[in-house]
Amino acid sequence: MKKVIITSVAIALLLLTGCSDKPTPNISDTSDSSQAKESFAVNTETISGDNTAVIDENANINADSNEMNMASLENKMQSVYFAFDKFTINTEMQSKIAAGAKIANSAASEFMIKLEGNCDEWGSDEYNFALGLKRADAVKKALIAEGVDASRITMVSYGESNPTCSDKTQDCWSENRRVDFKLLP
Amino acid sequence: MKILLSILMTITFAFASDTTIQVIKKIDSLPSIAIEDGSSHNNETFKMKFFKSLVADLNVISLFNVDRRKFNNDFDTNEVDAINKNSNYVLKYNLSKNAASGFSVKVKMIKNNEVVLAKNYKVSNSKKYVFVAHAIAYEINNYMGEPSIEWIKKKVIFSRVVAPKKSEIVIADYTLAYQHVIVKGGFNLFPKWASKKQNGFYYTSLNEAKPTLKYVNTRTAKITNIISSEGMMTCSDVNSNGTKLLLTMAPKGQPDIYLYDVKTKKITRITKYKGIDVSGQFMDDDRIVFVSNRLGYPNIFSKSLNSNDIEQMVYYGKSNAAATANGEYIVYKARESSGAFSKNTFNLHMISTKTDVIRRLTASGVNEFPRFSRDGDAVLFIKNYKNQSSIGIIRLNHNKNYLFPLKYGKIQSMDW
């Protein structure tokens, strides 16, 4: 009885590993040298030399005359921070948004507002980008509720690729889970 | 007893071709191979680089016990070095300079003093030497009667973040030994090959008023704007013949998956959930897997392109934020620590839609962005560990992982 079980297990194991066994290379009869040569006819393969172009995306970027004024206003509009894997706004952040909306509708009223969503470093995938976008969208809805015209607001997500802090600490990670205000002419 | 035998046989046959079952081989059982350099090329550094690439490739194809010592021997004779007499195979090569530029390689594999495989290669650009090593490994794998490893000859395209909001798009070989920066300046992400031929790619440009998907023809360097969207715009996948794209867009701030027809430019919205739906990946031409937070945390789901029925694919883990599919197989990224406040571990796992087996593919660090090869033989992924970014390759049928580190920057996304 025991023997039969062991044999069965051995057969099963052999079959299980069978799929990984390589077939022995089949070499044609090498006694006839002319035949052997023919079957190893050497083809020259050319490895292509394309992909040598370089595209410079900087060429499209122009400086703007309003930059100084916009930068000082941007500094007054405080970033909004979020909890891990969340895109809901807490009451502390709500007051920051209200202050931002006030500036948006007064000193910055001639500018468009760009909301930049950001995440911590845990993931370079699309989900993290979408999380950054949902954060920006939550701030957009809150700004609209504070009276900012929806048509003035645009959004973008940078995922984890725009950190303000790169240390491996929880303080640093929470600094990166944020939405920044930028002004556009 | 007959019943027990039948059960064992059934298990054996049911799992024999299932790659979720790990196949473990003994190194000792693999045939040995040694490499002999008979080059007329006079650049010793170049010769050593080529030798190292060959050794790396022969290891990755996982068919040999590779001798890492470099032997010098005359190329023209079929005699092998005395020390390699007992080696099952000897690979001989001759690197020589071309008259104009670049180099040529003659290579032959010898078994029992007979040539069993011979190839010649001509390369115009010496920087591409590593692709010759990959082509040789490809031929050897074919000769050994193994399933084709077309992926080894493919180019990898990746985006590398070099500073906040600054990145480069790089074309490389799978080991990152060859690298060519094709898009520099600005903030450009999520490159994706437009077809199997790899003569064009899509990428997301964040340098415009709205995130914009662009197409680059790599032969002419011509850029075409494809489509823009508020908030988010990525090309998540391209179907097998390059005619359909799965995009993630958010025209109203709501990330959803859309199907884009390359010829007609017709856009069809595929998902309509008020949370997050992203990362659509073709399982075949009619069915996709995607990432959604519809259960309150990111997880992997699938749906047909022609119906609204949605099926949960993964029942393990509370944060599965990325996936790749190939027919019945899905590889996904799972967070394996609870950590809002600690270092996190992310591992890749593989499931089959036809069984309940889960196979864990990685063991430590942050492993993400899995991408199946088109033939399903291998999975490429990004590993970030101790401030170093690497490209990893998993040989599914051989149960082996290899890592190729990046010298600087952090890999954001990639395709091959």
Side-chain angles (χ1 to χ4, degrees), chain B residues 80-229:
Chain B
V80 302
D81 193 293
I83 211 164
N84 294 328
K85 288 276 184 215
N86 293 328
S87 185
N88 297 101
Y89 295 92
V90 173
L91 189 68
K92 288 184 133 190
Y93 65 85
N94 178 1
L95 286 173
S96 58
K97 273 188 181 167
N98 288 347
S101 65
F103 68 103
S104 294
V105 190
K106 287 180 183 169
V107 61
K108 57 188 179 184
M109 190 156 82
I110 294 165
K111 185 185 184 189
N112 301 330
N113 292 325
E114 294 290 341
V115 176
V116 292
L117 178 73
K119 287 284 280 182
N120 290 352
Y121 299 87
K122 200 175 174 183
V123 188
S124 57
N125 179 351
S126 291
K127 285 182 184 165
K128 295 204 166 185
Y129 70 90
V130 70
F131 286 104
V132 181
H134 301 342
I136 293 169
Y138 172 83
E139 295 295 338
I140 292 173
N141 180 79
N142 276 0
Y143 164 75
M144 297 297 283
E146 289 289 313
S148 175
I149 48 165
E150 195 68 38
W151 55 262
I152 204 167
K153 297 201 285 187
K154 294 286 177 194
K155 289 174 208 137
V156 173
I157 189 163
F158 64 88
S159 59
R160 165 165 60 203
V161 175
V162 290
K165 287 204 267 185
K166 286 203 188 321
S167 65
E168 298 169 337
I169 292 181
V170 185
I171 291 176
D173 75 302
Y174 81 97
T175 66
L176 306 184
Y178 168 83
Q179 292 186 27
H180 170 69
V181 176
I182 189 153
V183 183
K184 64 172 189 174
F187 195 30
N188 307 293
L189 305 168
F190 295 109
K192 185 85 196 161
W193 289 115
S195 72
K196 276 184 236 176
K197 288 183 187 161
Q198 299 195 321
N199 50 18
F201 65 91
Y202 300 99
Y203 73 96
T204 302
S205 166
L206 295 178
N207 308 309
E208 318 285 329
K210 287 180 182 179
T212 302
L213 187 71
K214 296 187 176 189
Y215 170 79
V216 178
N217 179 324
T218 53
R219 290 180 197 276
T220 61
K222 190 183 169 221
I223 310 178
T224 314
N225 283 5
I226 304 293
I227 186 171
S228 297
S229 166

Side-chain angles (χ1 to χ4, degrees), chain B residues 219-260:
Chain B
R219 290 180 197 276
T220 61
K222 190 183 169 221
I223 310 178
T224 314
N225 283 5
I226 304 293
I227 186 171
S228 297
S229 166
E230 179 81 28
M232 200 173 162
M233 173 81 253
T234 56
C235 175
S236 314
D237 203 10
V238 177
N239 73 343
S240 55
N241 60 11
T243 55
K244 301 255 166 57
L245 313 181
L246 285 171
L247 306 178
T248 298
M249 300 198 290
K252 290 177 182 164
Q254 174 54 49
D256 273 309
I257 296 163
Y258 293 77
L259 187 70
Y260 178 83

Side-chain angles (χ1 to χ4, degrees), chain A:
Chain A
M1 178 70 171
K2 224 178 191 178
K3 262 188 187 173
V4 180
I5 295 176
I6 292 167
T7 317
S8 313
V9 172
I11 291 170
L13 282 175
L14 268 175
L15 287 167
L16 256 174
T17 51
C19 61
S20 68
D21 281 346
K22 285 162 291 302
T24 317
N26 192 5
I27 300 159
S28 56
D29 183 4
T30 47
S31 59
D32 181 345
S33 60
S34 66
Q35 234 184 13
K37 259 185 195 163
E38 210 177 292
S39 63
F40 307 132
V42 178
N43 296 319
T44 301
E45 192 174 316
T46 308
I47 307 283
S48 74
D50 64 342
N51 307 321
T52 47
V54 178
I55 294 151
D56 193 345
E57 278 265 11
N58 271 336
N60 300 328
I61 299 169
N62 297 316
D64 190 86
S65 56
N66 271 330
E67 245 172 44
M68 295 289 282
N69 183 24
M70 288 198 295
S72 79
L73 286 169
E74 274 171 9
N75 285 340
K76 290 177 189 161
M77 301 170 90
Q78 291 182 339
S79 297
V80 180
Y81 295 93
F82 292 81
F84 180 73
D85 205 17
K86 293 282 183 291
F87 47 86
T88 44
I89 294 165
N90 65 27
T91 40
E92 186 193 346
M93 292 302 137
Q94 188 60 48
S95 59
K96 283 189 177 183
I97 293 171
K102 220 173 206 176
I103 298 170
N105 280 341
S106 54
S109 62
E110 62 183 299
F111 301 121
M112 295 282 287
I113 300 143
K114 187 181 186 187
L115 299 173
E116 298 181 346
N118 297 283
C119 299
D120 59 26
E121 66 176 36
W122 300 116
S124 69
D125 35 58
E126 284 186 40
Y127 183 82
N128 226 15
F129 274 75
L131 193 58
L133 178 61
K134 293 296 279 184
R135 286 173 180 162
D137 195 44
V139 174
K140 180 181 176 179
K141 288 194 170 98
L143 283 176
I144 293 168
E146 294 286 339
V148 180
D149 187 347
S151 66
R152 288 178 59 208
I153 306 171
T154 66
M155 293 180 292
V156 70
S157 175
Y158 293 134
E160 63 159 3
S161 305
N162 182 28
T164 51
C165 177
S166 57
D167 297 341
K168 307 279 177 197
T169 61
Q170 52 172 294
D171 286 347
C172 186
W173 295 326
S174 58
E175 261 182 57
N176 291 334
R177 295 190 291 261
R178 71 192 193 282
V179 171
D180 295 331
F181 292 85
K182 298 285 167 194
L183 297 176
L184 300 173

Side-chain angles (χ1 to χ4, degrees), chain B residues 360-371:
Chain B
R360 192 179 187 195
L361 301 175
T362 59
S364 63
V366 176
N367 304 281
E368 55 186 340
F369 226 89
R371 287 289 175 265

